[in-house]
């Protein structure tokens, strides 16, 4: 019976120390003159309670009475008064602490303590617990962290180019502001995310169109932390000219155009000369036809010479030897004939050299002679005979 009573008393005890738990980040970077946020959560044996019945306190681990945060500002030590506040709601088991205007001696460690009030109006507390094994300690940073730039090695002219600037911090309530020396604010997109518990990252993604004049220029990203400590990072932009095929296209177009023009010119010239040759052929044909008609008319007027005479007449026609130079053997004395034949000095008819004749021959003049010319030809023929 005694053992049973002890067991009931233990179960009905209002405070069981094994159920008081807190989850606090143990180490954080704190930028001097900026701010820091300490993530914190807790549980207690009373179950869910309204915030009005909970009292949250932060104190130094070495002295439980040296408060760096308390609802009663008069109880906070002077060096922290006005610089600390709770960001979370205690009713949601959130004990996150913010410290601004960090001093180089605010290194900690600092611990969280929870107190449960009897009622919302009765501020007296019945249960208290300090999580001295879950405290936070700061690593003081005198210089702000530098941004990190991620980008392609070379930009291409007139093509979109993206540069990403990122920086880590420990104060999400006052995020760093990232700015660029190139482009405008609407050209950049910001992203904020939690890398791990107690460490956040802010990114700025800048996209712009580089031109030829941007080659070998600087692109700078500046991070402005809370209370204006700044850091920056710079990169040199190398712009590659866009691929240009004009050195191939232009000569090809010029060559094709020249070939087309030359082909058209050749076709026109061939057509022109064909027309000219056809005209000359028609003109020559008309002359020959006219001569042929004249010859047929002469033959139709008389018996005409024999076939052998016609062949000789053709030769005589082109010789055009004057009548005075014709050799008449019928009227020569017999002794002259025999002597001349015996001496073998009979002179052959001489034909005029082509060099002594005019270089051009006018068919129209011969055609204008008409029947007189044909009569002269006929007389020459029979005179030679």
């Amino acid at each position: 019976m005694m053992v049973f009573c002890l067991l009931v008393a233990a179960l009905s005890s209002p405070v069981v120390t094994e159920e008081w738990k807190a989850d606090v980040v143990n180490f954080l970077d704190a930028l001097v003159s900026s701010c820091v946020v300490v993530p914190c959560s807790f549980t207690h044996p009373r179950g869910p309670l309204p915030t009005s019945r909970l009292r949250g306190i932060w104190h130094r681990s070495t002295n439980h009475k040296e408060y760096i945060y308390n609802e009663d500002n008069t109880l906070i030590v002077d060096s922290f008064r006005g610089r600390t506040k709770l960001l979370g709601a205690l009713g949601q088991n959130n004990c996150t602490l913010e410290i601004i205007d960090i001093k180089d001696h605010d290194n900690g460690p600092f611990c969280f303590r929870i107190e449960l009030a009897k009622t919302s109006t009765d501020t007296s507390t019945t249960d208290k617990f300090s999580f001295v094994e879950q405290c936070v300690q700061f690593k003081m940073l005198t210089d702000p962290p530098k941004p990190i730039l991620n980008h392609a090695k070379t930009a291409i002219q007139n093509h979109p180019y993206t540069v990403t600037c990122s920086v880590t911090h420990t104060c999400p309530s006052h995020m760093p502001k990232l700015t660029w020396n190139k482009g405008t604010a609407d050209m950049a997109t910001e992203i904020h995310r939690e890398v791990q518990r107690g460490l956040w990252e802010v990114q700025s993604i800048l996209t712009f169109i580089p031109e030829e004049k941007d080659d070998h220029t600087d692109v700078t990203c500046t991070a402005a932390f809370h209370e204006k400590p700044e850091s920056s990072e710079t990169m040199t932009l190398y712009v590659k000219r866009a691929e240009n095929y004009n050195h191939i296209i232009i000569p090809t177009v010029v060559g094709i155009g020249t070939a087309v023009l030359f082909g058209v010119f050749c076709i026109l010239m061939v057509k022109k000369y064909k027309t000219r040759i056809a005209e000359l052929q028609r003109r020559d044909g008309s002359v020959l036809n006219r001569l042929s008609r004249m010859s047929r008319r002469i033959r139709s007027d008389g018996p005409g010479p024999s076939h052998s005479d016609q062949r000789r007449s053709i030769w005589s026609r082109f010789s055009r030897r004057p009548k005075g130079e014709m050799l008449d053997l019928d009227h020569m004395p017999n002794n002259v004939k025999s002597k001349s034949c015996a001496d073998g000095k009979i002179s052959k008819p001489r034909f005029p050299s082509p060099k002594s004749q005019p270089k051009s021959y006018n068919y129209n003049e011969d055609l204008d002679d008409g029947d007189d010319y044909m009569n002269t030809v006929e007389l020459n023929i029979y005179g030679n005979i």
Side-chain angles (χ1 to χ4, degrees), residues 309-327 348-358 361 366 373 376-385:
D309 293 338
Q310 289 179 1
R311 285 186 296 176
R312 282 181 291 179
S313 66
I314 293 172
W315 179 257
S316 301
R317 183 184 303 175
F318 290 98
S319 64
R320 299 197 172 191
R321 187 178 53 176
K323 296 180 180 181
E325 295 181 359
M326 295 181 183
L327 182 62
K348 296 181 180 179
R350 292 180 297 174
F351 298 98
S353 172
K355 294 182 180 181
S356 63
Q357 296 297 322
Y361 186 79
D366 291 341
Y373 174 76
T376 303
V377 171
E378 183 179 0
L379 291 174
N380 286 337
I381 295 172
Y382 290 100
N384 288 333
I385 296 173

Side-chain angles (χ1 to χ4, degrees), residues 198-257:
L199 183 64
W200 290 266
E201 180 185 62
V202 59
Q203 287 185 350
S204 179
I205 303 173
L206 175 67
T207 302
F208 63 99
I209 306 297
E211 301 177 0
E212 186 177 357
K213 64 180 181 180
D214 296 324
D215 190 25
H216 288 81
T217 57
D218 291 338
V219 178
T220 302
C221 175
T222 302
F225 293 83
H226 184 60
E227 298 299 334
K228 305 237 174 130
E230 293 185 353
S231 64
S232 62
E233 185 65 20
T234 300
M235 59 158 284
T236 301
L237 181 64
Y238 297 98
V239 180
K240 180 181 180 181
R241 290 186 177 182
E243 294 183 359
N244 193 339
Y245 296 99
N246 290 338
H247 64 286
I248 298 176
I249 296 174
I250 293 176
T252 302
V253 172
V254 171
I256 294 175

Side-chain angles (χ1 to χ4, degrees), residues 117-171:
K118 290 181 180 180
T119 62
S120 300
T121 57
D122 187 358
T123 58
S124 61
T125 58
T126 57
D127 299 327
K128 305 176 182 179
F129 194 89
S130 292
F131 303 95
V132 294
E133 294 182 357
Q134 294 291 328
C135 301
V136 62
Q137 189 170 358
F138 299 130
K139 177 184 176 181
M140 312 310 293
L141 301 178
T142 56
D143 297 321
K146 279 185 169 294
I148 299 174
L149 297 178
N150 293 319
H151 56 88
K153 185 176 181 180
T154 304
I156 300 177
Q157 180 182 353
N158 298 328
H159 285 69
Y161 184 70
T162 300
V163 184
T164 301
C165 177
S166 60
V167 66
T168 57
H169 62 94
T170 55
C171 187

Side-chain angles (χ1 to χ4, degrees), residues 2-136:
M2 185 178 295
V3 174
F4 177 76
C5 292
L6 291 174
L7 181 60
V8 172
L11 292 175
S12 62
S13 176
V15 177
V16 180
T17 57
E18 288 78 10
E19 296 181 0
W20 295 87
K21 296 180 181 178
D23 186 8
V24 180
V25 177
N26 300 124
F27 297 96
L28 287 174
D29 292 336
L31 179 61
V32 176
S33 74
S34 184
C35 61
V36 66
V37 172
V38 182
C40 173
S41 62
F42 68 96
T43 60
H44 58 85
R46 292 291 185 174
L49 291 175
T51 302
S52 59
R53 291 192 56 188
L54 298 173
R55 305 287 181 265
I57 299 171
W58 283 86
H59 59 85
R60 287 191 181 272
S61 63
T62 57
N63 187 354
H64 292 187
K65 297 298 183 179
E66 189 176 349
Y67 303 140
I68 65 169
Y69 171 78
N70 194 306
E71 289 184 357
D72 188 354
N73 289 333
T74 60
L75 300 178
I76 300 175
V77 296
D78 294 340
S79 59
F80 282 92
R81 188 173 298 164
R83 296 197 295 123
T84 59
K85 71 176 180 178
L86 287 181
L87 297 181
L90 294 176
Q92 298 175 357
N93 298 335
N94 189 340
C95 52
T96 300
L97 174 70
E98 179 194 64
I99 306 175
I100 62 173
D101 192 17
I102 294 292
K103 310 298 181 180
D104 55 2
H105 53 78
D106 294 342
N107 52 341
F110 304 108
C111 305
F112 177 67
R113 177 181 174 180
I114 185 69
E115 296 180 353
L116 281 66
K118 290 181 180 180
T119 62
S120 300
T121 57
D122 187 358
T123 58
S124 61
T125 58
T126 57
D127 299 327
K128 305 176 182 179
F129 194 89
S130 292
F131 303 95
V132 294
E133 294 182 357
Q134 294 291 328
C135 301
V136 62

